[in-house]
Amino acid sequence: MSNHSNIANPSPLGLLGFAMTTILLNLHNAGFIPLSIVIISMGFALGGAAQIIAGVMEFKKNNTFGATAFTAYGFFWWSLIIIWIKPFPGIEAADPLSMGFYLGLWCLFSFFMFIGTLKHNRATQIVFGSLTVLFLLLAAANFTGSESIHTIAGYVGIFCGLSAFYNAVGQILNQEFGKTILPL
C-alpha cells in the first residue's frame, strides 16, 4: 500500500497564516501600530482558521509534526483572541502573572517543537528557534512588567514572522518551478 497522498502540501498555507499574523501582532509589540481589530481579525482568520485547516490537512498526510504545530498554533491564536476580548462575564480578565505562565507554556511547547525541527530544513529551524525566543521574551515581559523586553520581543517576533513567510514562499516557488528558487 502506497503512502502517496493526493493532498496538496498544506505547509505553505499554515506558514503564511502564522507568518502574516505574527508579523502584524509584533508590529504592535514593537510599538509601530496599536492593538486593533486588524490584528484580532487576522488572528482569527489567518492565524487561527488557516492554520487549523492546514493542521487538519497535515493529519490527513500523516505528518504528526505539521499537524500538531499548525493545529496547536491555530488554536493559540483563537485562545489569545478570547483572552483579549474577555467575552465571559464574571471571569477575571488576564493579568500579567497569568499571561506570563500562558506564554511560558507556549515557550516550552515551542522549544520541544524546535527540537523536532532538527530533522527539518534550516528555514524551519529558524522559525521555531526564533518563536521559542519570542515566547520566552513575552513571558519575561509579563513576569517583570518590562516594556523594553516587550519591545525587543516585538522585533524578534517580526523576524520570526518574516522567516516563516520566507519558508512558505520558498516552498511554493520551489514546487512551482521544480527547482530551488529560495533555499530552505
Side-chain angles (χ1 to χ4, degrees):
M1 192 162 142
S2 172
N3 217 9
H4 178 73
S5 172
N6 290 329
I7 297 173
N9 179 8
S11 183
L13 171 63
L15 283 165
L16 281 172
F18 171 81
M20 293 174 68
T21 310
T22 299
I23 292 167
L24 198 58
L25 174 58
N26 284 287
L27 286 170
H28 160 69
N29 288 339
F32 293 108
I33 62 174
L35 179 61
S36 71
I37 193 65
V38 171
I39 297 169
I40 291 171
S41 297
M42 182 79 91
F44 179 78
L46 219 52
Q51 283 196 90
I52 292 166
I53 290 167
V56 169
M57 291 176 67
E58 292 283 12
F59 275 112
K60 293 183 85 51
K61 290 182 72 83
N62 199 29
N63 179 357
T64 302
F65 181 90
T68 303
F70 290 133
T71 307
Y73 291 115
F75 282 114
F76 160 80
W77 280 104
W78 283 1
S79 72
L80 186 61
I81 290 166
I82 291 169
I83 290 167
W84 285 339
I85 63 173
K86 306 177 277 285
F88 304 107
I91 304 277
E92 291 292 320
D95 60 89
L97 182 63
S98 298
M99 285 303 295
F101 282 112
Y102 170 81
L103 295 162
L105 286 170
W106 282 104
C107 175
L108 183 64
F109 173 69
S110 298
F111 174 71
F112 284 107
M113 294 301 283
F114 168 73
I115 292 171
T117 68
L118 298 178
K119 293 186 67 175
H120 294 236
N121 63 42
R122 185 72 64 219
T124 303
Q125 293 168 7
I126 291 169
V127 171
F128 281 87
S130 60
L131 181 59
T132 301
V133 173
L134 171 59
F135 277 125
L136 179 67
L137 289 170
L138 289 172
N142 275 273
F143 284 135
T144 65
S146 170
E147 194 53 44
S148 61
I149 294 174
H150 191 253
T151 301
I152 292 167
Y155 284 98
V156 170
I158 293 166
F159 172 81
C160 177
L162 288 171
S163 69
F165 191 88
Y166 175 89
N167 193 338
V169 172
Q171 288 185 44
I172 293 166
L173 294 179
N174 293 351
Q175 181 178 341
E176 288 303 309
F177 287 93
K179 63 181 179 181
T180 300
I181 303 294
L182 294 175
L184 299 173

